[in-house]
Amino acid sequence: GYFEQVVRQCRYSSKDLQGIEFIDSYVFNKAEYVRFNSTVGKYVGYTELGVKNAEAWNKGPELAVELGELERFCKHNAAIHY
C-alpha cells in the first residue's frame, strides 16, 4: 500500500509571538516531497513531483491560505503551548 501524510507544526522559539514558525510538510511513503515554511514564505519542493507542486501552489490560492495559517493556527494556540 501507499502512505500519505501531512504534518503541520508550529515552532515556538520564545514567548514573543514574532518568533513563531509554521511548517506544513507533505509526505508520501515516508519521504517529504514538498514543504511550506512561514519563514521562507513559500512552498519548496524536494522531489520532482514536489517541485512541480510547489511551483503551482506558489502561484495559486494555496499560498494565501498557508500564509494565513501562522495567525489562525499558531498564534491563536500559542497560550496553550506556553
Side-chain angles (χ1 to χ4, degrees):
Y2 297 101
F3 176 76
E4 176 119 25
Q5 177 181 17
V6 176
V7 179
R8 307 180 101 203
Q9 56 184 313
C10 300
R11 293 186 180 171
Y12 301 93
S13 59
S14 68
K15 288 192 175 189
D16 178 13
L17 292 181
Q18 301 304 316
I20 299 174
E21 180 179 40
F22 174 70
I23 299 173
D24 198 3
S25 302
Y26 295 80
V27 179
F28 182 74
N29 283 351
K30 299 181 183 179
E32 183 177 27
Y33 63 96
V34 69
R35 172 188 289 187
F36 173 83
N37 184 320
S38 64
T39 304
V40 176
K42 66 179 182 175
Y43 288 96
V44 176
Y46 298 108
T47 65
E48 186 177 344
L49 174 64
V51 169
K52 289 180 183 179
N53 285 341
E55 288 174 359
W57 295 349
N58 284 330
K59 295 176 185 172
E62 296 86 357
L63 183 62
V65 171
E66 291 287 14
L67 291 170
E69 289 299 286
L70 180 66
E71 283 290 328
R72 188 194 69 78
F73 184 68
C74 294
K75 290 185 179 180
H76 177 74
N77 293 309
I80 296 169
H81 295 284
Y82 292 123

